[in-house]
Amino acid sequence: MKTGKTLLGLLLSALLPASAIAANSDTIIYCSEASPESFNPQIASSGPSFVASSQVLYSRLVNFDPKTNTPVPSLATGWTVSQDGKTWTFTLRQGVKFNSNKFFKPTRDFNADDVIFSVMRQKDPNHPYHKVSQGNYEYFQDVGLDKLITDVKKLDDYHVQFTLSEPNAAFLADWGMDFASILSAEYADAMLKKGTPENVDNWPIGTGPYALQQYKVDSLIRYIANPNYWDGEVPTKHLIFSITPNVETRLAKLKTNECQIIPAPSPVQFEQIKGDKNLTLHSVEALNVGYLAFNTEKKPFDNVLVRQALNYAVDKKSIINAVFMGSGSVAKSPIPPNMMGFNKDLKDYDYNPEKAKALLKQAGLDKGFEATLWSMPVQRPYNPNSKRIAEMIQSDWAKVGVKAKIVSYEWGEYLSGIRKGEHDAALYGWMSDNGDPDNFADVLLSCDSIQSGSNAARWCDKQYTSLIDQARRVSAPQERAKLYEQAQEIFYQQAPWVPLANGRTFYATRSNVTGYSVSLMGSDFSKAKIN
């Protein structure tokens, strides 16, 4: 994960001052949680980065139906797959135009060359853009596309063919993820010739609803509507991100109409929002899970009895009641309950301190032990108050003789530390990128995911991994679901996590805002307007 600022602080003197544009009725201001790591979603990793880049500036081959969370056409109008499941052919949308900027004006529409460039920059270490901006293509690698794709070729301007090393049922859904945003190959070629390839990442050109107009680090981002957006007219000309990390400040700005949309209000703010006639609280079903991951490569967490004991020692219902305040439910599986493959009959560890003590005694730790407990420095739907959750777990564990020292770090350092396995136990979580159970079962817990860093438990069970590998190769949903259900039984027995919560996604708007929506794809500003 990137911990430093990789973007230029760009300020165009020709633009109107912030107050002048904010006063314009044809403007929506969104209070963003943080500055983006990059405007290239291929090398970004955080939610705020994706909202500021892929969800505003770019399009992908597929989108997701917000009701079914299944892939639907976007830059690809259709696709076919060979009988052996290894060859996928995409038909591309014609007449799609890229935005322009002060460095470059496109001379052609979107075509197959742009898809090839967007894939090969991430896949090929020898590609001229692979190391630009110190590229680290974590998502592309986490979902295994670097190994899965053996060849990608242009059949003609509007047909692209992928050859895979094996069948993969999640492959189509992967192309709706943020990292799969399509960049302009023509722009990249031009910047490479000029010796300024970093402009592709700092001054992006995409086919999304908006174009980047100005960026001032830790302050604001201005966008202007794309007049040629392929998916219809964008009703609001100006979109401004007011970068506001503090959750209380975001709500204060919403109340005074300095912002019209805020993400992730705290559960303690819900009643306040509901009580203000000028504001509206929105919630959507989410595919996510918050959990405490044990580092199974470290003692005593390498002992399954210890992991089981600490599951029994956590009062999850009390955490949900105290922290989520109706915004979440108790989790028992790595797969969310509203996703295909969830094992509804899976057992859960009830709160049983006496059983926890007995298991610790059986493990030779009847006098307990000491460990560090990492607490996330950020707020998420699956963990709206990490400090409070960590304190409650700390208190629960103390009752069975385990002394937990709570530590926290800056978010980039936190993520980097987990990927390197520096933690004992860490609060973490995951939100679905593509609506497929493989995005949870494999990315978070497979043996291969230890190397990529997304397996925070650093847990490798060959039987579990074999089951999810089989599930990924099967296309029939019922057959896949049974394999995931079996894998969850192994997860329960081996207890690499304490699954904590499945949270709903909340956001708030001024009551006169319509058209803005949040779904599996993230934030959609393309139809947002002030009435």
Side-chain angles (χ1 to χ4, degrees):
M1 302 296 173
K2 318 296 182 300
T3 58
K5 295 291 188 297
T6 58
L7 300 171
L8 298 175
L10 301 168
L11 190 59
L12 299 183
S13 58
L15 292 172
L16 292 171
S19 58
I21 289 190
N24 190 314
S25 61
D26 198 11
T27 301
I28 284 182
I29 303 175
Y30 172 82
C31 273
S32 174
E33 297 170 273
S35 291
E37 304 157 275
S38 171
F39 282 115
N40 181 354
Q42 297 175 333
I43 58 178
S45 58
S46 69
S49 297
F50 293 142
V51 176
S53 61
S54 51
Q55 295 164 29
V56 176
L57 301 168
Y58 295 102
S59 307
R60 286 149 291 283
L61 291 181
V62 301
N63 208 328
F64 292 104
D65 183 302
K67 294 182 179 178
T68 63
N69 291 325
T70 53
V72 293
S74 183
L75 289 182
T77 59
W79 44 84
T80 59
V81 59
S82 62
Q83 192 170 359
D84 66 2
K86 293 184 180 181
T87 304
W88 289 76
T89 305
F90 289 86
T91 301
L92 306 182
R93 190 177 299 276
Q94 299 186 33
V96 176
K97 300 189 181 302
F98 281 96
N99 281 302
S100 60
N101 62 25
K102 67 177 183 178
F103 298 110
F104 180 75
K105 185 175 181 179
T107 65
R108 63 164 177 80
D109 292 348
F110 155 77
N111 68 25
D113 292 330
D114 304 306
V115 178
I116 302 294
F117 168 75
S118 300
V119 174
M120 295 309 293
R121 172 177 178 171
Q122 299 180 80
K123 177 176 170 57
D124 181 7
N126 297 316
H127 191 279
Y129 267 86
H130 189 75
K131 294 179 181 178
V132 171
S133 302
Q134 297 180 331
N136 188 358
Y137 307 97
E138 292 170 354
Y139 272 80
F140 188 85
Q141 293 164 2
D142 282 349
V143 299
L145 292 180
D146 54 332
K147 297 181 178 67
L148 180 65
I149 298 171
T150 60
D151 187 39
V152 54
K153 63 183 177 181
K154 172 182 176 179
L155 301 182
D156 57 45
D157 276 353
Y158 294 101
H159 290 88
V160 174
Q161 188 173 87
F162 290 84
T163 303
L164 310 184
S165 60
E166 62 183 20
N168 187 301
F171 179 73
L172 179 61
D174 288 341
W175 293 103
M177 293 171 65
D178 294 280
F179 76 83
S181 297
I182 302 301
L183 281 62
S184 167
E186 186 187 19
Y187 180 35
D189 287 343
M191 294 302 100
L192 197 63
K193 288 175 184 176
K194 286 185 177 181
T196 56
E198 67 279 358
N199 284 344
V200 171
D201 301 332
N202 292 335
W203 273 107
I205 285 179
T207 61
Y210 284 91
L212 180 66
Q213 197 176 20
Q214 176 194 18
Y215 174 48
K216 190 173 182 181
V217 175
D218 294 335
S219 177
L220 60 83
I221 312 170
R222 298 176 197 255
Y223 305 91
I224 191 163
N226 176 0
N228 302 307
Y229 183 43
W230 64 269
D231 200 25
E233 183 181 356
V234 181
T236 302
K237 184 176 182 181
H238 299 285
L239 174 65
I240 298 176
F241 278 29
S242 175
I243 298 166
T244 313
N246 184 275
V247 66
E248 279 121 15
T249 307
R250 288 200 297 272
L251 180 55
K253 286 186 175 183
L254 186 70
K255 285 186 167 189
T256 57
N257 203 25
E258 293 175 72
C259 294
Q260 288 77 52
I261 304 170
I262 63 169
S266 169
V268 298
Q269 297 175 329
F270 290 172
E271 290 307 314
Q272 191 179 163
I273 295 169
K274 291 176 184 177
D276 189 327
K277 63 181 176 58
N278 296 313
L279 309 181
T280 302
L281 181 67
H282 307 262
S283 72
V284 293
E285 288 290 343
L287 299 174
N288 63 42
V289 61
Y291 57 92
L292 178 72
F294 302 119
N295 187 340
T296 60
E297 291 181 345
K298 286 188 174 182
K299 291 185 180 297
F301 303 108
D302 60 340
N303 188 329
V304 67
L305 296 175
V306 173
R307 302 195 299 266
Q308 290 174 346
L310 295 183
N311 265 272
Y312 281 118
V314 175
D315 188 352
K316 296 197 286 189
K317 289 182 180 178
S318 291
I319 289 173
I320 296 298
N321 292 335
V323 178
F324 286 80
M325 300 179 184
S327 67
S329 56
V330 170
K332 63 178 181 178
S333 165
I335 295 177
N338 49 345
M339 179 175 274
M340 184 267 287
F342 173 73
N343 187 340
K344 67 181 188 303
D345 298 320
L346 187 71
K347 294 178 184 178
D348 196 9
Y349 290 87
D350 58 337
Y351 178 51
N352 192 333
E354 293 307 313
K355 196 161 188 176
K357 289 178 183 177
L359 285 167
L360 288 173
K361 184 176 181 179
Q362 191 177 342
L365 293 167
D366 51 310
K367 294 182 180 179
F369 62 92
E370 295 181 3
T372 56
L373 172 55
W374 285 31
S375 173
M376 294 165 52
V378 294
Q379 182 182 353
R380 293 290 183 266
Y382 52 74
N383 190 331
N385 190 335
S386 185
K387 183 174 184 290
R388 179 70 176 127
I389 290 176
E391 288 170 347
M392 294 183 75
I393 293 173
Q394 180 188 50
S395 176
D396 286 341
W397 283 2
K399 295 171 187 174
V400 299
V402 175
K403 295 179 181 179
K405 178 185 178 183
I406 298 173
V407 298
S408 190
Y409 305 93
E410 182 272 330
W411 187 224
E413 189 178 354
Y414 191 94
L415 296 172
S416 176
I418 286 178
R419 286 182 175 269
K420 293 174 183 175
E422 295 171 354
H423 58 294
D424 290 341
L427 288 167
Y428 210 36
W430 191 257
M431 300 183 70
S432 177
D433 295 303
N434 62 14
D436 194 278
D438 184 71
N439 190 233
F440 287 81
D442 175 62
V443 171
L444 303 182
L445 289 162
S446 72
C447 294
D448 287 344
S449 294
I450 297 174
Q451 185 176 359
S452 69
S454 58
N455 183 341
R458 308 186 72 82
W459 173 69
C460 177
D461 184 287
K462 292 183 179 179
Q463 186 181 0
Y464 172 93
T465 296
S466 175
L467 286 167
I468 59 173
D469 283 348
Q470 291 177 58
R472 192 168 50 249
R473 298 187 188 104
V474 172
S475 58
Q478 289 184 338
E479 190 176 344
R480 290 189 77 202
K482 287 180 181 177
L483 291 165
Y484 286 122
E485 288 170 9
Q486 292 174 41
Q488 287 163 81
E489 294 289 351
I490 297 171
F491 168 87
Y492 166 77
Q493 293 294 336
Q494 291 297 310
W497 298 354
V498 179
L500 293 170
N502 304 115
R504 291 177 65 84
T505 295
F506 288 81
Y507 62 97
T509 66
R510 299 287 297 180
S511 297
N512 60 348
V513 173
T514 61
Y516 173 76
S517 62
V518 174
S519 67
L520 182 62
M521 277 302 297
S523 294
D524 183 359
F525 296 91
S526 66
K527 304 295 187 292
K529 62 181 179 178
I530 298 175
N531 296 313

